[in-house]
Amino acid sequence: MNWAATETKHMQFALEQAARSAARGEVPVGAVVVAEDNVVAAAHNRSVSDADPAGHAEVLALRAAAGKLGNHRLTNATLYVTREPCVMCVGAIAQARVGRVVFGAYDKKAGALGSVEDLTASRALNHRFEVNGGLLAEECGALLKDFFASRR
């Protein structure tokens, strides 16, 4: 499988996770952690369901991956997430030492990887990671747009 197809496959899996969030009345965000070309963990938003302010898909996926790998450092991992991570999630990504983040939809209200803030440029973070945004942005954005439209 070629690189572009592999990237797309992982983001499509993250979209499936996001759809699970929407079905539960949660903001539809999904995340997948990949290490050595294998999906290590996947999660979707569960803040409301779990009454957990840190129940974002990224944090939950990172926790699950660290548990499965037996290491809180995910240096060779890539995190695929359907929406640009927020400040909290970027902090978790940096703490986990994730090597790369690929996200779908840009978040013009709370995105911390370039839209509102670019925490990768912050001296406050002692870990640098690669960021690629916009993969399947239309599909990821449509899921969010449809979810919020249905709630208005």
Side-chain angles (χ1 to χ4, degrees), residues 106-130:
Y106 286 86
D107 184 349
K108 303 293 184 194
K109 292 183 179 179
L113 292 179
S115 289
V116 177
E117 296 289 338
D118 184 2
L119 293 183
T120 61
S122 173
R123 292 186 355 210
L125 296 182
N126 62 349
H127 173 68
R128 302 287 174 251
F129 51 91
E130 181 181 340

Side-chain angles (χ1 to χ4, degrees), residues 20-55:
R20 289 181 175 189
S21 292
R24 296 174 71 149
E26 302 270 2
V27 175
V29 177
V32 175
V33 177
V34 175
E36 298 179 16
D37 297 323
N38 295 308
V39 173
V40 178
H44 53 84
N45 273 358
R46 293 196 324 249
S47 294
V48 176
S49 302
D50 294 352
D52 179 5

Side-chain angles (χ1 to χ4, degrees), residues 83-106:
R83 183 179 184 178
E84 181 181 0
C86 69
V87 171
M88 176 184 70
C89 291
V90 172
I93 291 163
Q95 290 299 313
R97 305 296 193 262
V98 170
R100 181 169 171 249
V101 175
V102 178
F103 67 86
Y106 286 86

Side-chain angles (χ1 to χ4, degrees), residues 10-80:
H10 294 316
M11 187 60 78
Q12 287 171 331
F13 187 37
L15 274 165
E16 291 172 18
Q17 292 295 312
R20 289 181 175 189
S21 292
R24 296 174 71 149
E26 302 270 2
V27 175
V29 177
V32 175
V33 177
V34 175
E36 298 179 16
D37 297 323
N38 295 308
V39 173
V40 178
H44 53 84
N45 273 358
R46 293 196 324 249
S47 294
V48 176
S49 302
D50 294 352
D52 179 5
H56 290 199
E58 300 95 321
V59 172
L60 298 173
L62 293 173
R63 284 180 185 158
K68 184 171 184 180
L69 296 174
N71 192 339
H72 67 290
R73 301 289 190 224
L74 304 172
T75 54
N76 295 319
T78 298
L79 173 67
Y80 293 85

